[in-house]
Amino acid sequence: MKKIIILTTFFMSIMKPVAAQKSNTDKSVEYANTITATDLAKHLKILASDSLQGRETGEPGQKMAADYIAEQFFNDHLKPVMKHEGEDSYFQHFDLVRKSWGEVYVETGTKRREFLKDFYLLGSLSIPQEKNVEVVFGGYGIDTEKYSDYKNIDVTNKAVLILSGEPKSKKGKSLVTDSDKPSEWASDWRKKVTLARQKGAAYVLVIQPDEMKVGTFIANYRGYLTNPRLILKYKDTPTQGDGTIFVSKEMAVEILGVSEKALAKWQRKIARKKTPKSFAIANVTMKFENKEQIVQSENVLGLVEGTDKKDEIVVVTAHYDHVGIINGEIHNGADDDGSGTVAVLEIAQAFAEAKRNGNGPRRSMLFMTVAGEEKGLLGSEFYTDHPALSLQNTVCDLNIDMIGRIDEAHTGNPDYVYLIGSDKLSSKLHGISEEMNQKYSKLALDYKYNDPSDPNRFYYRSDHYNFARYKVPVIFYFNGTHEDYHRPTDDIEKINFAKIEKIARLVFHTAWEVANREERIKVDSNKK
């Protein structure tokens, strides 16, 4: 790889910038047509092969995938934008901390509650030595003008125990919206946790909702809950963390010192009187012991430099990591997200060829495949916190995550794509996307998952979101989940390459228009 980086430096030194052509827009179809199902399959045959062992973040298979992507960027004459040990590099390196559990428990009264039986944790938490913590019951954990659980309690440096959902009147109306329409608080436990921490809570315990018991959730997600966790090293807080503890109702009432019937009565009283019930409770003792190991990973970045507007950047992303080997079975992740990764490679090749032919984009095109997505969008979080190119000058991010399969809702009609986020920050980007699809691709654009009330919350679950949190407009291209999602059966034999080709060409046309238009698209909305 070192030899490749040196050759790249030489190659880039002899390249000369080419002025933007007036007929640029007429060339869009010519270069989009270089994105082919055959080439996509050629790349995916390697990236989704057993030899890469599921591309687990920080493991040898992920490194092999990174080398392959960098080699393609070099072969297609993309410019490296990073430096490593004084040399040009396609790799943006970052350190992670791998944490596995040691001794974990919560003592309530005389009982020691068991981890992954009575409770589980989402996120990271480190309490290496047994700690006595004061607990406050925070009702539903909501704070609005119409309804607030925080009026009469102080949660500073304490643990707050909150109910799932939101309070409803006898007629089933939300006390927050005063209507049949539920508020965001009803399904967004993260919003409650964020608020609790803003109020000063050191720890947050959420009572598991009735629709899925703690034991059922743990049984369904045991592999995820027990696997070692990766977090960004620079964000590691060794004595705390930001984890959320989900407890069974049985464990919750023991902490509260009441019966389940009494808890249900409280909830009915809140509904009847439309007033919260919050108060201090006795202490609990907690221990969350972590074992730690440093893991190195990398994003892979390649640039097609623009002409007269080269300081402005259009980013195209996909994550190239997957979940590795689980229970002895390789999870090749052909769709998740091998499909998006190979699309990025082909779109990059098309833009690079256009530049070599004197039809390069006016704005610069940054093609980035990121690692650590499966561990919590870590690679894209690192990039947006440590951008190689100015985020202020970043026009938009077009993110591709799973575009090679057909979900149940579109059986028999592969010519569709879910678009998420296109209108969240820029109405112009949304309009361009619609226009390019109508003009070139004619796919069915499905906005089902763009609905802020959709319980899947896909808008927050792929790498575009880390750009969106910095107010960079985004579009997320997605085919929906399927029966092989995160299973060892997500293999290349099930991929629809004609579908990837069509969606990748739509991404290309959208990027081409954004990169070559006179005016930069503006941030003119702030939808959730």
Side-chain angles (χ1 to χ4, degrees):
M1 199 59 229
K2 189 173 182 180
K3 186 180 292 184
I4 290 176
I5 293 169
I6 294 170
L7 287 172
T8 303
T9 306
F10 170 74
F11 182 87
M12 294 303 168
S13 70
I14 63 173
M15 289 183 67
K16 295 182 179 179
V18 180
Q21 305 296 308
K22 290 182 179 179
S23 60
N24 230 4
T25 54
D26 301 330
K27 295 288 185 179
S28 179
V29 173
E30 175 185 341
Y31 295 109
N33 287 345
T34 67
I35 301 169
T36 67
T38 300
D39 288 344
L40 291 161
K42 177 189 70 175
H43 293 309
L44 194 58
K45 185 177 180 181
I46 294 170
L47 290 173
S49 66
D50 285 351
S51 62
L52 269 63
Q53 301 181 329
R55 309 189 302 278
E56 171 73 61
T57 304
E59 295 299 316
Q62 181 244 291
K63 309 289 186 180
M64 293 167 66
D67 285 341
Y68 179 81
I69 295 164
E71 183 180 6
Q72 301 313 304
F73 284 170
F74 170 75
N75 291 340
D76 291 331
H77 307 147
L78 274 70
K79 180 180 179 180
V81 296
M82 302 304 301
K83 289 284 186 182
H84 183 62
E85 296 180 349
E87 296 182 347
D88 291 337
S89 174
Y90 291 110
F91 299 135
Q92 181 186 45
H93 297 276
F94 56 93
D95 287 339
L96 301 167
V97 181
R98 175 180 285 135
K99 295 194 174 191
S100 56
W101 292 118
E103 192 174 24
V104 177
Y105 57 82
V106 176
E107 288 184 352
T108 60
T110 58
K111 288 187 180 180
R112 176 172 289 192
R113 290 292 179 172
E114 294 182 41
F115 182 49
L116 300 182
K117 179 181 178 183
D118 302 305
F119 67 95
Y120 64 90
L121 180 94
L122 294 182
S124 65
L125 192 60
S126 178
I127 308 176
Q129 303 297 327
E130 190 175 86
K131 185 175 184 180
N132 193 261
V133 181
E134 184 179 352
V135 183
V136 174
F137 178 58
Y140 285 92
I142 296 171
D143 185 22
T144 67
E145 288 186 12
K146 290 186 176 180
Y147 177 93
S148 176
D149 290 294
Y150 284 94
K151 285 182 178 178
N152 301 312
I153 58 170
D154 178 14
V155 299
T156 306
N157 297 322
K158 302 171 186 176
V160 60
L161 174 67
I162 57 178
L163 294 158
S164 298
E166 67 176 342
K168 293 182 179 180
S169 69
K170 282 186 175 182
K171 294 182 179 180
K173 289 187 176 182
S174 163
L175 298 189
V176 179
T177 64
D178 198 25
S179 71
D180 294 331
K181 185 179 180 181
S183 71
E184 287 183 292
W185 302 92
S187 58
D188 191 357
W189 59 267
R190 292 178 180 84
K191 187 177 179 72
K192 296 182 179 186
V193 171
T194 299
L195 173 64
R197 294 195 179 282
Q198 288 172 350
K199 298 283 186 181
Y203 309 101
V204 183
L205 291 79
V206 178
I207 302 173
Q208 182 79 3
D210 290 335
E211 48 265 35
M212 182 177 282
K213 304 293 184 183
V214 162
T216 304
F217 186 94
I218 291 169
N220 290 346
Y221 298 97
R222 179 168 289 275
Y224 172 78
L225 296 169
T226 57
N227 280 346
R229 300 156 337 274
L230 287 173
I231 62 174
L232 288 162
K233 186 175 185 299
Y234 76 97
K235 289 203 165 184
D236 184 23
T237 51
T239 59
Q240 180 102 355
D242 59 357
T244 303
I245 304 166
F246 287 81
V247 304
S248 65
K249 187 167 286 187
E250 180 189 2
M251 179 174 168
V253 296
E254 185 173 286
I255 295 172
L256 290 166
V258 298
S259 66
E260 287 193 35
K261 285 184 179 180
L263 178 59
K265 186 177 179 180
W266 291 353
Q267 291 177 274
R268 289 194 298 272
K269 187 175 180 181
I270 291 171
R272 186 176 69 254
K273 294 193 173 183
K274 298 183 179 181
T275 55
K277 186 175 183 65
S278 308
F279 55 87
I281 318 171
N283 293 11
V284 299
T285 300
M286 300 193 293
K287 183 175 183 180
F288 285 77
E289 182 185 25
N290 285 283
K291 299 175 182 178
E292 299 183 355
Q293 176 188 2
I294 299 299
V295 174
Q296 294 181 328
S297 192
E298 46 276 311
N299 299 323
V300 191
L301 288 66
L303 184 74
V304 175
E305 196 169 51
T307 54
D308 60 316
K309 295 179 180 290
K310 68 179 181 180
D311 291 338
E312 295 180 11
I313 307 105
V314 177
V315 185
V316 181
T317 54
H319 74 89
Y320 70 98
D321 66 315
H322 195 51
V323 297
I325 301 173
I326 301 175
N327 296 326
E329 295 185 288
I330 298 174
H331 291 55
N332 285 319
D335 190 32
D336 184 16
D337 183 28
S339 60
T341 301
V342 299
V344 170
L345 291 178
E346 280 294 284
I347 298 167
Q349 184 272 330
F351 270 98
E353 184 173 327
K355 181 176 177 66
R356 289 197 303 276
N357 293 342
N359 297 299
R362 300 178 70 184
R363 292 176 176 85
S364 294
M365 295 293 309
L366 178 64
F367 297 93
M368 177 165 61
T369 60
V370 299
E373 190 272 355
E374 297 288 3
K375 309 305 177 187
L377 316 184
L378 301 182
S380 56
E381 182 177 0
F382 184 86
Y383 177 84
T384 51
D385 285 352
H386 304 84
L389 302 172
S390 167
L391 278 187
Q392 186 176 356
N393 289 340
T394 299
V395 176
C396 70
D397 171 51
L398 306 179
N399 182 51
I400 313 168
D401 192 349
M402 297 175 61
I403 57 168
R405 295 286 295 274
I406 304 167
D407 71 354
E408 188 176 347
H410 297 85
T411 301
N413 177 28
D415 293 338
Y416 77 95
V417 63
Y418 290 107
L419 294 190
I420 303 171
S422 61
D423 65 341
K424 300 290 189 186
L425 291 164
S426 173
S427 60
K428 194 64 180 179
L429 179 60
H430 178 75
I432 289 171
S433 170
E434 290 272 345
E435 180 186 347
M436 294 302 102
N437 182 62
Q438 183 61 34
K439 186 174 182 180
Y440 298 110
S441 304
K442 303 194 185 309
L443 291 165
L445 304 183
D446 194 327
Y447 294 99
K448 172 185 176 181
Y449 296 126
N450 196 52
D451 186 339
S453 64
D454 181 78
N456 295 285
R457 298 180 62 78
F458 287 123
Y459 177 62
Y460 303 93
R461 289 172 55 183
S462 192
D463 294 297
H464 60 280
Y465 180 66
N466 278 317
F467 287 88
R469 68 189 178 95
Y470 278 98
K471 304 302 179 186
V472 175
V474 300
I475 302 179
F476 171 23
Y477 301 84
F478 179 51
N479 59 213
T481 57
H482 45 76
E483 66 274 12
D484 298 310
Y485 174 67
H486 278 204
R487 295 181 62 82
T489 46
D490 182 7
D491 287 322
I492 191 170
E493 292 79 15
K494 298 179 181 179
I495 294 296
N496 186 326
F497 287 101
K499 184 174 191 291
I500 301 179
E501 178 186 285
K502 290 176 184 177
I503 297 173
R505 288 183 180 186
L506 172 60
V507 179
F508 173 87
H509 285 300
T510 303
W512 183 277
E513 174 62 24
V514 173
N516 286 301
R517 66 197 312 270
E518 182 61 33
E519 295 294 326
R520 171 178 173 170
I521 61 170
K522 291 182 172 59
V523 175
D524 59 4
S525 58
N526 186 26
K527 297 180 180 179
K528 294 188 178 180

